[in-house]
PDB file of all heavy atoms in Angstrom:
ATOM      1  N   GLY A 936      -5.435  -5.780 -19.492  1.00 94.00           N
ATOM      2  CA  GLY A 936      -5.671  -4.475 -20.258  1.00 94.00           C
ATOM      3  C   GLY A 936      -4.531  -3.454 -20.058  1.00 94.00           C
ATOM      4  O   GLY A 936      -4.737  -2.272 -20.244  1.00 94.00           O
ATOM      5  N   TYR A 937      -3.331  -3.929 -19.693  1.00 96.00           N
ATOM      6  CA  TYR A 937      -2.225  -2.984 -19.626  1.00 96.00           C
ATOM      7  C   TYR A 937      -1.461  -2.944 -20.877  1.00 96.00           C
ATOM      8  O   TYR A 937      -0.915  -3.988 -21.310  1.00 96.00           O
ATOM      9  CB  TYR A 937      -1.285  -3.325 -18.499  1.00 96.00           C
ATOM     10  CG  TYR A 937      -0.124  -2.349 -18.355  1.00 96.00           C
ATOM     11  CD1 TYR A 937      -0.327  -1.153 -17.647  1.00 96.00           C
ATOM     12  CD2 TYR A 937       1.100  -2.569 -18.841  1.00 96.00           C
ATOM     13  CE1 TYR A 937       0.721  -0.147 -17.609  1.00 96.00           C
ATOM     14  CE2 TYR A 937       2.114  -1.694 -18.749  1.00 96.00           C
ATOM     15  CZ  TYR A 937       1.906  -0.491 -18.165  1.00 96.00           C
ATOM     16  OH  TYR A 937       2.916   0.378 -18.150  1.00 96.00           O
ATOM     17  N   THR A 938      -1.395  -1.734 -21.483  1.00 95.00           N
ATOM     18  CA  THR A 938      -0.699  -1.601 -22.770  1.00 95.00           C
ATOM     19  C   THR A 938       0.604  -0.630 -22.456  1.00 95.00           C
ATOM     20  O   THR A 938       0.574   0.087 -21.441  1.00 95.00           O
ATOM     21  CB  THR A 938      -1.495  -0.973 -23.875  1.00 95.00           C
ATOM     22  OG1 THR A 938      -2.150   0.166 -23.376  1.00 95.00           O
ATOM     23  CG2 THR A 938      -2.523  -1.976 -24.321  1.00 95.00           C
ATOM     24  N   TYR A 939       1.559  -0.667 -23.338  1.00 95.00           N
ATOM     25  CA  TYR A 939       2.701   0.157 -23.240  1.00 95.00           C
ATOM     26  C   TYR A 939       2.245   1.670 -23.206  1.00 95.00           C
ATOM     27  O   TYR A 939       1.453   1.990 -24.055  1.00 95.00           O
ATOM     28  CB  TYR A 939       3.676  -0.071 -24.351  1.00 95.00           C
ATOM     29  CG  TYR A 939       4.994   0.645 -24.264  1.00 95.00           C
ATOM     30  CD1 TYR A 939       5.956   0.125 -23.399  1.00 95.00           C
ATOM     31  CD2 TYR A 939       5.311   1.821 -24.993  1.00 95.00           C
ATOM     32  CE1 TYR A 939       7.238   0.793 -23.351  1.00 95.00           C
ATOM     33  CE2 TYR A 939       6.462   2.449 -24.959  1.00 95.00           C
ATOM     34  CZ  TYR A 939       7.403   1.973 -24.117  1.00 95.00           C
ATOM     35  OH  TYR A 939       8.640   2.622 -23.992  1.00 95.00           O
ATOM     36  N   PRO A 940       2.635   2.441 -22.183  1.00 93.00           N
ATOM     37  CA  PRO A 940       2.176   3.858 -22.107  1.00 93.00           C
ATOM     38  C   PRO A 940       2.550   4.727 -23.235  1.00 93.00           C
ATOM     39  O   PRO A 940       3.775   4.714 -23.656  1.00 93.00           O
ATOM     40  CB  PRO A 940       2.810   4.284 -20.851  1.00 93.00           C
ATOM     41  CG  PRO A 940       3.344   3.116 -20.082  1.00 93.00           C
ATOM     42  CD  PRO A 940       3.563   2.085 -21.094  1.00 93.00           C
ATOM     43  N   ALA A 941       1.588   5.308 -23.931  1.00 92.00           N
ATOM     44  CA  ALA A 941       1.823   6.231 -25.032  1.00 92.00           C
ATOM     45  C   ALA A 941       2.890   7.317 -24.658  1.00 92.00           C
ATOM     46  O   ALA A 941       3.707   7.681 -25.406  1.00 92.00           O
ATOM     47  CB  ALA A 941       0.556   6.775 -25.505  1.00 92.00           C
ATOM     48  N   ALA A 942       2.791   7.673 -23.381  1.00 91.00           N
ATOM     49  CA  ALA A 942       3.702   8.781 -22.963  1.00 91.00           C
ATOM     50  C   ALA A 942       5.140   8.299 -23.107  1.00 91.00           C
ATOM     51  O   ALA A 942       6.033   9.199 -23.296  1.00 91.00           O
ATOM     52  CB  ALA A 942       3.422   9.097 -21.465  1.00 91.00           C
ATOM     53  N   TYR A 943       5.492   7.101 -22.975  1.00 93.00           N
ATOM     54  CA  TYR A 943       6.852   6.543 -23.074  1.00 93.00           C
ATOM     55  C   TYR A 943       7.412   6.736 -24.474  1.00 93.00           C
ATOM     56  O   TYR A 943       8.624   6.787 -24.575  1.00 93.00           O
ATOM     57  CB  TYR A 943       6.960   5.150 -22.491  1.00 93.00           C
ATOM     58  CG  TYR A 943       6.840   5.060 -21.034  1.00 93.00           C
ATOM     59  CD1 TYR A 943       6.624   6.130 -20.232  1.00 93.00           C
ATOM     60  CD2 TYR A 943       7.083   3.854 -20.352  1.00 93.00           C
ATOM     61  CE1 TYR A 943       6.533   6.037 -18.883  1.00 93.00           C
ATOM     62  CE2 TYR A 943       7.039   3.703 -19.014  1.00 93.00           C
ATOM     63  CZ  TYR A 943       6.777   4.829 -18.240  1.00 93.00           C
ATOM     64  OH  TYR A 943       6.680   4.670 -16.896  1.00 93.00           O
ATOM     65  N   ILE A 944       6.502   6.738 -25.417  1.00 95.00           N
ATOM     66  CA  ILE A 944       6.990   6.958 -26.795  1.00 95.00           C
ATOM     67  C   ILE A 944       7.588   8.377 -26.898  1.00 95.00           C
ATOM     68  O   ILE A 944       8.592   8.616 -27.488  1.00 95.00           O
ATOM     69  CB  ILE A 944       5.959   6.582 -27.824  1.00 95.00           C
ATOM     70  CG1 ILE A 944       5.504   5.107 -27.740  1.00 95.00           C
ATOM     71  CG2 ILE A 944       6.378   6.908 -29.259  1.00 95.00           C
ATOM     72  CD1 ILE A 944       4.357   4.689 -28.480  1.00 95.00           C
ATOM     73  N   ASP A 945       6.855   9.308 -26.236  1.00 93.00           N
ATOM     74  CA  ASP A 945       7.321  10.694 -26.271  1.00 93.00           C
ATOM     75  C   ASP A 945       8.624  10.827 -25.407  1.00 93.00           C
ATOM     76  O   ASP A 945       9.566  11.441 -25.777  1.00 93.00           O
ATOM     77  CB  ASP A 945       6.326  11.638 -25.639  1.00 93.00           C
ATOM     78  CG  ASP A 945       5.044  11.823 -26.470  1.00 93.00           C
ATOM     79  OD1 ASP A 945       5.215  11.555 -27.731  1.00 93.00           O
ATOM     80  OD2 ASP A 945       3.979  12.029 -25.922  1.00 93.00           O
ATOM     81  N   TYR A 946       8.613  10.157 -24.269  1.00 94.00           N
ATOM     82  CA  TYR A 946       9.690  10.246 -23.286  1.00 94.00           C
ATOM     83  C   TYR A 946      11.011   9.581 -23.786  1.00 94.00           C
ATOM     84  O   TYR A 946      12.048  10.232 -23.746  1.00 94.00           O
ATOM     85  CB  TYR A 946       9.394   9.536 -21.931  1.00 94.00           C
ATOM     86  CG  TYR A 946       8.302  10.173 -21.132  1.00 94.00           C
ATOM     87  CD1 TYR A 946       8.003   9.590 -19.966  1.00 94.00           C
ATOM     88  CD2 TYR A 946       7.688  11.359 -21.417  1.00 94.00           C
ATOM     89  CE1 TYR A 946       7.004  10.000 -19.090  1.00 94.00           C
ATOM     90  CE2 TYR A 946       6.812  11.893 -20.586  1.00 94.00           C
ATOM     91  CZ  TYR A 946       6.435  11.255 -19.425  1.00 94.00           C
ATOM     92  OH  TYR A 946       5.467  11.758 -18.591  1.00 94.00           O
ATOM     93  N   PHE A 947      10.876   8.387 -24.330  1.00 95.00           N
ATOM     94  CA  PHE A 947      12.068   7.640 -24.604  1.00 95.00           C
ATOM     95  C   PHE A 947      12.285   7.315 -26.108  1.00 95.00           C
ATOM     96  O   PHE A 947      13.256   6.775 -26.529  1.00 95.00           O
ATOM     97  CB  PHE A 947      12.033   6.282 -23.894  1.00 95.00           C
ATOM     98  CG  PHE A 947      11.683   6.376 -22.460  1.00 95.00           C
ATOM     99  CD1 PHE A 947      10.593   5.603 -21.911  1.00 95.00           C
ATOM    100  CD2 PHE A 947      12.361   7.208 -21.546  1.00 95.00           C
ATOM    101  CE1 PHE A 947      10.272   5.746 -20.552  1.00 95.00           C
ATOM    102  CE2 PHE A 947      12.002   7.327 -20.195  1.00 95.00           C
ATOM    103  CZ  PHE A 947      10.949   6.535 -19.759  1.00 95.00           C
ATOM    104  N   GLY A 948      11.367   7.764 -26.926  1.00 97.00           N
ATOM    105  CA  GLY A 948      11.433   7.574 -28.380  1.00 97.00           C
ATOM    106  C   GLY A 948      10.845   6.155 -28.781  1.00 97.00           C
ATOM    107  O   GLY A 948      10.689   5.311 -27.849  1.00 97.00           O
ATOM    108  N   PRO A 949      10.416   6.011 -30.003  1.00 95.00           N
ATOM    109  CA  PRO A 949       9.743   4.821 -30.399  1.00 95.00           C
ATOM    110  C   PRO A 949      10.604   3.528 -30.436  1.00 95.00           C
ATOM    111  O   PRO A 949      10.115   2.397 -30.335  1.00 95.00           O
ATOM    112  CB  PRO A 949       9.269   5.073 -31.812  1.00 95.00           C
ATOM    113  CG  PRO A 949      10.116   6.254 -32.327  1.00 95.00           C
ATOM    114  CD  PRO A 949      10.543   6.985 -31.053  1.00 95.00           C
TER     115      PRO A 949
END
Side-chain angles (χ1 to χ4, degrees):
Y937 181 81
T938 50
Y939 187 77
Y943 283 6
I944 297 170
D945 293 334
Y946 290 176
F947 312 126

